Structure formats: structure tokens, C-alpha cells
Amino acid sequence: MEKIKHYFKTFLLFELLKGLALTGRYMFARKITVQFPEEKTPQSNRFRGLHAQRRYANGEERCIGCKLCEAVCPALAIKIEVAERDDGTRRTTQYDIDLTKCIFCGFCEESCPVDAIVETRIFEYHGEKKGDLYYTKPMLLAVGDKYEAQIAKDRAADAKYR
Amino acid sequence: MNFMDVVFYVFAALTVFAGMGVITARNPVNAALFLVLAFCSSAGIWMLLEAEFLAIVLVLVYVGAVMVLFLFVVMMLDINLVRLREGFWRWFPFGAGLAGLMVFEMIYVLGARQTSDTGGNVVHPANYSNTKELGRLLYTDYVYPFELAAVLLLLAMVAAIALTLRRRVGVKTQNVSDQVQVKAADRVRIVKYMQDGSTDTSAK
Amino acid sequence: MMDLLLSLEQAGQNLLGAFWLPLWTLVKIMVIVGPLMGAVAYLTLAERKVIGWMQIRIGPNRVGYFGLLQPLADGIKLLMKEIIVPTGSNKFLFILGPIMALMPALAAWAVIPFNAELVLANVNAGLLYILAMTSLGVYGVIIAGWASNSKYAFLGCLRSAAQIVSYEIAMGFALVCVLMAAQSLNLGDIVNGQKGSYGLLNWYIVPLFPMFIVYLISGVAEANRAPFDVAEGESEIVAGFHVEYSGMTFALFFLAEYANMILIAFLTAIMFMGGWLSPLPFLPDSIVWLFGKVAFVLFLFLWFRATFPRYRYDQLMRLGWKVFIPLAIVWVVVVGAWMQTPLWVW
């Protein structure tokens, strides 16, 4: 009896019709597409996007050239050169991030003792040449200067979990 | 020379060209494709003779099915041209003799056709259906040879399957019929965990 | 309308003489192929929209209002792209492949009737002609796969050739049932055979329902559409036989696939669903019905693609040879016996 029922179900394409009914129902379901440039999905304050270098409130750059980020970077995307500045402090002369290598793991941010290198919420950046995605120190500082308010807010929101 | 003649000569030239191609092409796939062209152009000639059923069946059966299977085999051949050319002159007399015999046969057959009465151009009524006429002949006057041919073909088919069908041991092919027969209940058992740690297997 | 056309034809005959017939035929061919190409373009849009909706997305909507210019943009993009001919490929056959794929897909339209009078060539053996043309479609695939000199393309073409040849048999037997019922190979006569005072109940879909299913599913397999698109099989052999093609040569394969889909939809509508006949006896017959039925079958094609996962190759072959062909042969006998009894009312 069970077998006969099974045969009938097979030949009447019962399961196929069930599948068709499901997709047919979803055809009229409310669409969940986000219309990207106009609408955006909410972002976490831990979002890991474009990198930035931060400064202290007095305008002094935070980075002390400890090279922890360079050491921890799994994709070897960071290159740092360090020299002593005239006032005797240790500063970077070169701080490059190759965004075509970067995997946005956030390890650089985690390893930084002075919160100098951070990842921002920006993800809609582009380059027309491959070289455009090779970010140097002035570029990173510029990103940091421009979005400092947002960066600081995100750090503050996440502070109690760190 | 009217339009029909032009079409005939075009198709005829194409058929001859394709036929030459079949025997001169080095690559067997090209040769097979030339044969396809030959079939198509001869179908065109048959169409001119108002034998549209035969023409279409030629395309349908030979081009659409037989040559596809032919190409299937030929495409997977690994051909060594040097080895193929070996012994050309040794077999040449035999081949030439065979070719001569075929030419003689064709002249004999076609020559005999010339002398007999072909009935000339038959004018058909507008609703004349080649297909119906052919079917009527096949199933009345020639029904015995027709059935005989069908049985022969069936026999050949069964023989071909019997020759190639072999059960090998140790192959890990899946049996689709068994797979299709499987029901969810045979494979999955849904177990409901109770609060006290016991299980209830009757849950659906 | 018909009178106008006839008088136009007469005038042309007087003006151009012997050259008029080829010219006039060419015009008629353009009148069919032009809208067909437009339909193909918008079928691609419809496909993306419908599948999008079924996946709770909205589909293309950026190029033009509602995405209506999307096919145009795609076409222009493909036209501008470079045609790359792989080294070690047979150049002549490589270019011939897509042409051979598209040619039969278009040639079959010569005998498709749009209503009682509107047909390019009213051939007596129209159904046979269609079968012959659709069986030629496989050459495009074979030639393309072999000439590409690539193993993925070659595997794809072998799969596709075996699949198309197998399903053609089931398709042929399903059509044998239709022509037994209609007692004619002429497509116009087949539609007229479905005429009657009960509308929908007079269509061949009623007595030949299993064959309708067999034909529809074989049609999906013939057109190499999901769930039978093992010839493409993106996850296994990249894109199958057309993996080496780019630009316009690729576009031709694309056009051929969709033109074949539309052709099979038309054939299904004509053979089983009464062509231009209206489903309700009190409504007039019209070409609109034909287009409506075709649109319905095409929607089914898209619906299948959005719903079913791809068949495994051995399952596909089993379905063709061990299910459809026996079923179709049995139904030929059933219909033959049925037609000898007074119970046959179609």
C-alpha cells in the first residue's frame, strides 16, 4: 500500500509540485532587496573597512612605530620605516598599507598599543589603478582626520568590551 | 535555365564538393562534418524532386541522429596520421579494383534506369501529400518487407545491447532507481528530547 | 488588412517581376525574426526578474525604468567585447559553432503558424520539418565544443549531444501521439483539429496529458535549460561547451538558447493547447491566445529554473530512456486503441 502510494506520488510529480508551490508563493512575498546607494544596511561599530591613522587631540600623530601591526599582519600588507624625530621621539617615516593585499582581519587594530591604526566604517572606496589602493602615511592620516569624530565614537561605544 | 535548375546545380555541386571533402579531409571530424554537409545538400536535391518526406527524414535521421553518434566516436579517436599512411601502395591495387567495380556498378544501374520509362513529370493535385502516399504504400503493398526490416532492426538493436551490456564487479556506480525510491522516513529519524532526559521517538 | 497585403503583393509582382518573390520572402522572414529577437532580449529580462522575485529579490531595475533597457545594455556590452579565438582551436569551426547553434533555432520558425492564415510556409510535413531542425541544433554544440580545443568545452559538448539525442526520441514519440490525434503533419491542421464547441476540453492536452508532460520536460532538456543544464554545469565544468566563447560569439549561443525556448513554448501551445483557439467557446479565436499560452509555457520554464536543482547526469539519462520513452511508447499504443473506440471524441 505504501509502495503504491509512493508510485502515485512519483508519477503525479507530487514533490515537484510542492517545490513549485513554494517558489510560487515566494514570488509574491515582500522583497528584501536593499537598494544600495540610496538605502544601506545598518553597520556595527566594529565594522572593519578602510584603514585610518589617528592623531591625539593636540594634533600629534599617535603612531610610535612599534611595528606590532606589521608583525601581526597575516597578509604582509603593512610596511613601516622608523626614524628618530628632531624632538627625540620615535616616529614612522613610512607607513604603507597595500589594500589589495589586506584581508581586513583587524589584527593591526587589535595589536596597536596606542590606538593609532584603526579600521573605519568606510567600505565604498575605489581606485582606478592598482596603485591607487596602495595607501601611504599621509593618505591614512587624511582619512583619520576626516572621520575622527565617527572613529572616536565607535571606539567609545566598544570600549567596555575591550 | 530557370530558377529550379540553378538551385539544382548549386546543391549538386555542393554535394560533390562535400563528397570529395569526406575522402580527402585529413581530420576524421572534418570528414564527418563534410558528410553532414553532403547529407544536407542531397536532402535539398530530394526536396526539389518533391520528395519532401524523404528529404526531411534524411536530415532528421542521418544528420540529426546517426551523424551525431558518429561524431561522438570520431571526436574521441586519437589518430596517428603517419601510421595511417603506412602501406598505402600495398593496398592500392585492392582499393583501385574495388573503386573500379563500384564505378562499373553505378554505370550499369544508372544506364539501365535511363532506358526504362520513369513516367516523366507527374503533375499532382494541390492537396497531394507525399507523406500520406508513402505511408499508404508502405503499409499496404510493401507491408511484409517493411515489417521484416523492422524485425531485423529490432534484432540488431537487441543484439547490440546484449553485446555491450556487461555487469562488472567492484564498480561503485549508484543505482538511480533505488535512490529515487528512498523516502525520508528510511533515512531520517526525528527524535524529541524530553525534559527528563528520555527520548520520544514517535515525534514527527 | 489581408486585402491590403494582397494588393501590395500584386503591385510588387508587377514592379519587380522575378526578383519580387525572394525579396517578399525576405521581408516576411524579417517580420518574424525581428520581433523574435526582441522577444529573446526581453525574455532574458523576464527571466532575471521572475527568478529574482522567487528568491525575494527585485531583479535588475537600474537601466531604464523597471530595468527595461537592461537587455539593450547587455547586448551593447557583448557587441563591444573582443572575440577571443583560443590558440590550437580550429578557427573556421570555432566561428561556425555559434552560427550552427542559432541557424536551426531560427529556421524552424518558417512553418510556425500564428493564426489560421499567418504562416511563412504552409508545409504539409511541417511537424517533421520542425523535428529535423531541432535535431540540427546539437551540431552547434558539438562543433563549438570540439573546435574550442578545451577539455571543459569538450566534456560539455559530449554531455549535451548525448542528452539532446536521448530526449529527442521521447519528444518525437510524444509528437507521434499528437499527429495520430490530428491525422496530419501540418501545424495549421493540428490546431484546427483541436477546434470544437467545448473550448478548452477539445484541446489535445486532455487526452494526451501524460504526453504533454513528457513533451514539456523533454523540451526543457532539449533547450538545455535548468534543471537539465548539465551541458553548462557551472559548478562542474565551468560553462560547458561555450566556455571559450566571448563577445558576440557567446551572445549567439545565448540567443539560440532563448530562441529555442520560445520555439518549444510555441510548439507546446500549438500541439497541446490549441494554438490560437480560445479556451472558452464564447470568446473569439485570436493570436492573442497563442501569445498568452506561449507566455505561460515560458513562465513555466523560468519557474522550473528557479525551483529545481540540477539533475545528476545518470539520473537525467535514466529519466529519458527508462521513464519517458517507455511511457511515450505505451501512450502511442493507448491512443491508437482509444481512437478505434467511440470514446475518442477529439
Side-chain angles (χ1 to χ4, degrees), chain C residues 83-104:
Chain C
I83 295 171
I84 299 162
V85 183
T87 46
S89 67
N90 185 330
K91 281 200 184 59
F92 175 72
L93 289 181
F94 187 78
I95 301 297
L96 188 70
I99 298 171
M100 279 300 291
L102 187 60
M103 184 276 288

PDB file of all heavy atoms in Angstrom, chain C residues 83-104:
ATOM      1  N   ILE C  83      36.318  39.202 -29.397  1.00  0.00           N
ATOM      2  CA  ILE C  83      36.117  37.765 -29.623  1.00  0.00           C
ATOM      3  C   ILE C  83      37.477  37.096 -29.541  1.00  0.00           C
ATOM      4  O   ILE C  83      38.356  37.361 -30.354  1.00  0.00           O
ATOM      5  CB  ILE C  83      35.466  37.505 -30.984  1.00  0.00           C
ATOM      6  CG1 ILE C  83      34.058  38.084 -31.005  1.00  0.00           C
ATOM      7  CG2 ILE C  83      35.428  36.015 -31.277  1.00  0.00           C
ATOM      8  CD1 ILE C  83      33.417  38.077 -32.353  1.00  0.00           C
ATOM      9  N   ILE C  84      37.656  36.279 -28.544  1.00  0.00           N
ATOM     10  CA  ILE C  84      38.951  35.624 -28.356  1.00  0.00           C
ATOM     11  C   ILE C  84      38.897  34.236 -28.970  1.00  0.00           C
ATOM     12  O   ILE C  84      38.043  33.428 -28.604  1.00  0.00           O
ATOM     13  CB  ILE C  84      39.295  35.533 -26.858  1.00  0.00           C
ATOM     14  CG1 ILE C  84      39.377  36.936 -26.272  1.00  0.00           C
ATOM     15  CG2 ILE C  84      40.600  34.784 -26.652  1.00  0.00           C
ATOM     16  CD1 ILE C  84      39.287  36.968 -24.778  1.00  0.00           C
ATOM     17  N   VAL C  85      39.800  33.978 -29.927  1.00  0.00           N
ATOM     18  CA  VAL C  85      39.877  32.646 -30.525  1.00  0.00           C
ATOM     19  C   VAL C  85      41.060  31.924 -29.885  1.00  0.00           C
ATOM     20  O   VAL C  85      42.194  32.375 -30.001  1.00  0.00           O
ATOM     21  CB  VAL C  85      40.064  32.738 -32.049  1.00  0.00           C
ATOM     22  CG1 VAL C  85      40.081  31.352 -32.660  1.00  0.00           C
ATOM     23  CG2 VAL C  85      38.961  33.569 -32.657  1.00  0.00           C
ATOM     24  N   PRO C  86      40.802  30.825 -29.182  1.00  0.00           N
ATOM     25  CA  PRO C  86      41.908  30.160 -28.483  1.00  0.00           C
ATOM     26  C   PRO C  86      42.947  29.612 -29.457  1.00  0.00           C
ATOM     27  O   PRO C  86      42.600  29.188 -30.564  1.00  0.00           O
ATOM     28  CB  PRO C  86      41.217  29.008 -27.746  1.00  0.00           C
ATOM     29  CG  PRO C  86      39.775  29.211 -27.898  1.00  0.00           C
ATOM     30  CD  PRO C  86      39.536  30.126 -29.022  1.00  0.00           C
ATOM     31  N   THR C  87      44.212  29.627 -29.033  1.00  0.00           N
ATOM     32  CA  THR C  87      45.235  29.017 -29.884  1.00  0.00           C
ATOM     33  C   THR C  87      45.009  27.517 -29.900  1.00  0.00           C
ATOM     34  O   THR C  87      44.586  26.923 -28.923  1.00  0.00           O
ATOM     35  CB  THR C  87      46.637  29.288 -29.331  1.00  0.00           C
ATOM     36  OG1 THR C  87      46.612  29.031 -27.934  1.00  0.00           O
ATOM     37  CG2 THR C  87      47.094  30.690 -29.589  1.00  0.00           C
ATOM     38  N   GLY C  88      45.311  26.896 -31.033  1.00  0.00           N
ATOM     39  CA  GLY C  88      45.131  25.457 -31.146  1.00  0.00           C
ATOM     40  C   GLY C  88      43.702  25.074 -31.451  1.00  0.00           C
ATOM     41  O   GLY C  88      43.380  23.900 -31.543  1.00  0.00           O
ATOM     42  N   SER C  89      42.808  26.079 -31.603  1.00  0.00           N
ATOM     43  CA  SER C  89      41.438  25.752 -31.975  1.00  0.00           C
ATOM     44  C   SER C  89      41.333  25.781 -33.493  1.00  0.00           C
ATOM     45  O   SER C  89      42.163  26.373 -34.173  1.00  0.00           O
ATOM     46  CB  SER C  89      40.471  26.762 -31.374  1.00  0.00           C
ATOM     47  OG  SER C  89      40.676  28.016 -31.971  1.00  0.00           O
ATOM     48  N   ASN C  90      40.317  25.128 -33.990  1.00  0.00           N
ATOM     49  CA  ASN C  90      40.049  25.158 -35.418  1.00  0.00           C
ATOM     50  C   ASN C  90      39.226  26.415 -35.699  1.00  0.00           C
ATOM     51  O   ASN C  90      38.055  26.474 -35.357  1.00  0.00           O
ATOM     52  CB  ASN C  90      39.285  23.893 -35.780  1.00  0.00           C
ATOM     53  CG  ASN C  90      39.064  23.763 -37.260  1.00  0.00           C
ATOM     54  OD1 ASN C  90      38.955  24.766 -37.965  1.00  0.00           O
ATOM     55  ND2 ASN C  90      39.011  22.546 -37.735  1.00  0.00           N
ATOM     56  N   LYS C  91      39.860  27.443 -36.297  1.00  0.00           N
ATOM     57  CA  LYS C  91      39.224  28.764 -36.363  1.00  0.00           C
ATOM     58  C   LYS C  91      37.915  28.744 -37.122  1.00  0.00           C
ATOM     59  O   LYS C  91      36.924  29.309 -36.684  1.00  0.00           O
ATOM     60  CB  LYS C  91      40.177  29.771 -37.000  1.00  0.00           C
ATOM     61  CG  LYS C  91      41.193  30.243 -36.014  1.00  0.00           C
ATOM     62  CD  LYS C  91      41.838  31.542 -36.409  1.00  0.00           C
ATOM     63  CE  LYS C  91      42.906  31.887 -35.403  1.00  0.00           C
ATOM     64  NZ  LYS C  91      43.951  30.838 -35.308  1.00  0.00           N
ATOM     65  N   PHE C  92      37.888  28.084 -38.269  1.00  0.00           N
ATOM     66  CA  PHE C  92      36.676  28.074 -39.085  1.00  0.00           C
ATOM     67  C   PHE C  92      35.522  27.443 -38.307  1.00  0.00           C
ATOM     68  O   PHE C  92      34.435  28.007 -38.198  1.00  0.00           O
ATOM     69  CB  PHE C  92      36.937  27.312 -40.383  1.00  0.00           C
ATOM     70  CG  PHE C  92      35.718  27.159 -41.235  1.00  0.00           C
ATOM     71  CD1 PHE C  92      35.196  28.250 -41.913  1.00  0.00           C
ATOM     72  CD2 PHE C  92      35.076  25.938 -41.346  1.00  0.00           C
ATOM     73  CE1 PHE C  92      34.068  28.119 -42.692  1.00  0.00           C
ATOM     74  CE2 PHE C  92      33.943  25.799 -42.116  1.00  0.00           C
ATOM     75  CZ  PHE C  92      33.434  26.885 -42.797  1.00  0.00           C
ATOM     76  N   LEU C  93      35.783  26.266 -37.722  1.00  0.00           N
ATOM     77  CA  LEU C  93      34.721  25.587 -36.987  1.00  0.00           C
ATOM     78  C   LEU C  93      34.360  26.344 -35.713  1.00  0.00           C
ATOM     79  O   LEU C  93      33.215  26.335 -35.275  1.00  0.00           O
ATOM     80  CB  LEU C  93      35.137  24.158 -36.645  1.00  0.00           C
ATOM     81  CG  LEU C  93      35.198  23.197 -37.823  1.00  0.00           C
ATOM     82  CD1 LEU C  93      35.595  21.822 -37.358  1.00  0.00           C
ATOM     83  CD2 LEU C  93      33.874  23.132 -38.540  1.00  0.00           C
ATOM     84  N   PHE C  94      35.350  27.018 -35.128  1.00  0.00           N
ATOM     85  CA  PHE C  94      35.098  27.779 -33.902  1.00  0.00           C
ATOM     86  C   PHE C  94      34.071  28.877 -34.152  1.00  0.00           C
ATOM     87  O   PHE C  94      33.199  29.125 -33.324  1.00  0.00           O
ATOM     88  CB  PHE C  94      36.414  28.393 -33.410  1.00  0.00           C
ATOM     89  CG  PHE C  94      36.312  29.052 -32.070  1.00  0.00           C
ATOM     90  CD1 PHE C  94      36.302  28.299 -30.916  1.00  0.00           C
ATOM     91  CD2 PHE C  94      36.217  30.433 -31.959  1.00  0.00           C
ATOM     92  CE1 PHE C  94      36.221  28.894 -29.672  1.00  0.00           C
ATOM     93  CE2 PHE C  94      36.131  31.038 -30.723  1.00  0.00           C
ATOM     94  CZ  PHE C  94      36.132  30.270 -29.585  1.00  0.00           C
ATOM     95  N   ILE C  95      34.189  29.535 -35.306  1.00  0.00           N
ATOM     96  CA  ILE C  95      33.220  30.578 -35.649  1.00  0.00           C
ATOM     97  C   ILE C  95      31.919  29.944 -36.137  1.00  0.00           C
ATOM     98  O   ILE C  95      30.830  30.467 -35.897  1.00  0.00           O
ATOM     99  CB  ILE C  95      33.804  31.526 -36.723  1.00  0.00           C
ATOM    100  CG1 ILE C  95      35.093  32.173 -36.226  1.00  0.00           C
ATOM    101  CG2 ILE C  95      32.808  32.593 -37.116  1.00  0.00           C
ATOM    102  CD1 ILE C  95      34.940  33.062 -35.024  1.00  0.00           C
ATOM    103  N   LEU C  96      32.030  28.795 -36.808  1.00  0.00           N
ATOM    104  CA  LEU C  96      30.832  28.144 -37.342  1.00  0.00           C
ATOM    105  C   LEU C  96      29.921  27.643 -36.220  1.00  0.00           C
ATOM    106  O   LEU C  96      28.699  27.619 -36.376  1.00  0.00           O
ATOM    107  CB  LEU C  96      31.242  26.972 -38.241  1.00  0.00           C
ATOM    108  CG  LEU C  96      30.119  26.302 -39.029  1.00  0.00           C
ATOM    109  CD1 LEU C  96      29.629  27.233 -40.116  1.00  0.00           C
ATOM    110  CD2 LEU C  96      30.588  24.991 -39.632  1.00  0.00           C
ATOM    111  N   GLY C  97      30.507  27.256 -35.088  1.00  0.00           N
ATOM    112  CA  GLY C  97      29.743  26.671 -33.982  1.00  0.00           C
ATOM    113  C   GLY C  97      28.535  27.494 -33.574  1.00  0.00           C
ATOM    114  O   GLY C  97      27.397  27.022 -33.668  1.00  0.00           O
ATOM    115  N   PRO C  98      28.738  28.756 -33.136  1.00  0.00           N
ATOM    116  CA  PRO C  98      27.578  29.555 -32.725  1.00  0.00           C
ATOM    117  C   PRO C  98      26.596  29.798 -33.859  1.00  0.00           C
ATOM    118  O   PRO C  98      25.381  29.869 -33.609  1.00  0.00           O
ATOM    119  CB  PRO C  98      28.198  30.875 -32.256  1.00  0.00           C
ATOM    120  CG  PRO C  98      29.615  30.840 -32.624  1.00  0.00           C
ATOM    121  CD  PRO C  98      30.004  29.420 -32.847  1.00  0.00           C
ATOM    122  N   ILE C  99      27.101  29.893 -35.097  1.00  0.00           N
ATOM    123  CA  ILE C  99      26.182  30.092 -36.225  1.00  0.00           C
ATOM    124  C   ILE C  99      25.295  28.870 -36.381  1.00  0.00           C
ATOM    125  O   ILE C  99      24.079  28.968 -36.566  1.00  0.00           O
ATOM    126  CB  ILE C  99      26.981  30.368 -37.514  1.00  0.00           C
ATOM    127  CG1 ILE C  99      27.794  31.655 -37.360  1.00  0.00           C
ATOM    128  CG2 ILE C  99      26.062  30.476 -38.713  1.00  0.00           C
ATOM    129  CD1 ILE C  99      28.762  31.907 -38.465  1.00  0.00           C
ATOM    130  N   MET C 100      25.905  27.672 -36.257  1.00  0.00           N
ATOM    131  CA  MET C 100      25.130  26.439 -36.380  1.00  0.00           C
ATOM    132  C   MET C 100      24.150  26.280 -35.221  1.00  0.00           C
ATOM    133  O   MET C 100      23.158  25.568 -35.339  1.00  0.00           O
ATOM    134  CB  MET C 100      26.070  25.233 -36.417  1.00  0.00           C
ATOM    135  CG  MET C 100      26.691  24.968 -37.759  1.00  0.00           C
ATOM    136  SD  MET C 100      25.475  24.663 -39.020  1.00  0.00           S
ATOM    137  CE  MET C 100      24.850  23.082 -38.476  1.00  0.00           C
ATOM    138  N   ALA C 101      24.462  26.903 -34.085  1.00  0.00           N
ATOM    139  CA  ALA C 101      23.534  26.814 -32.961  1.00  0.00           C
ATOM    140  C   ALA C 101      22.301  27.671 -33.216  1.00  0.00           C
ATOM    141  O   ALA C 101      21.176  27.280 -32.917  1.00  0.00           O
ATOM    142  CB  ALA C 101      24.221  27.243 -31.670  1.00  0.00           C
ATOM    143  N   LEU C 102      22.532  28.857 -33.781  1.00  0.00           N
ATOM    144  CA  LEU C 102      21.417  29.799 -33.968  1.00  0.00           C
ATOM    145  C   LEU C 102      20.585  29.458 -35.202  1.00  0.00           C
ATOM    146  O   LEU C 102      19.371  29.631 -35.204  1.00  0.00           O
ATOM    147  CB  LEU C 102      21.964  31.227 -34.069  1.00  0.00           C
ATOM    148  CG  LEU C 102      20.927  32.331 -34.091  1.00  0.00           C
ATOM    149  CD1 LEU C 102      20.100  32.306 -32.829  1.00  0.00           C
ATOM    150  CD2 LEU C 102      21.568  33.683 -34.252  1.00  0.00           C
ATOM    151  N   MET C 103      21.256  28.944 -36.252  1.00  0.00           N
ATOM    152  CA  MET C 103      20.580  28.734 -37.537  1.00  0.00           C
ATOM    153  C   MET C 103      19.319  27.875 -37.406  1.00  0.00           C
ATOM    154  O   MET C 103      18.237  28.328 -37.789  1.00  0.00           O
ATOM    155  CB  MET C 103      21.583  28.144 -38.535  1.00  0.00           C
ATOM    156  CG  MET C 103      21.063  27.964 -39.932  1.00  0.00           C
ATOM    157  SD  MET C 103      20.166  26.444 -40.169  1.00  0.00           S
ATOM    158  CE  MET C 103      21.468  25.244 -40.121  1.00  0.00           C
ATOM    159  N   PRO C 104      19.406  26.649 -36.856  1.00  0.00           N
ATOM    160  CA  PRO C 104      18.180  25.845 -36.776  1.00  0.00           C
ATOM    161  C   PRO C 104      17.134  26.450 -35.863  1.00  0.00           C
ATOM    162  O   PRO C 104      15.937  26.301 -36.105  1.00  0.00           O
ATOM    163  CB  PRO C 104      18.658  24.490 -36.249  1.00  0.00           C
ATOM    164  CG  PRO C 104      20.006  24.699 -35.736  1.00  0.00           C
ATOM    165  CD  PRO C 104      20.559  25.932 -36.325  1.00  0.00           C
TER     166      PRO C 104
END
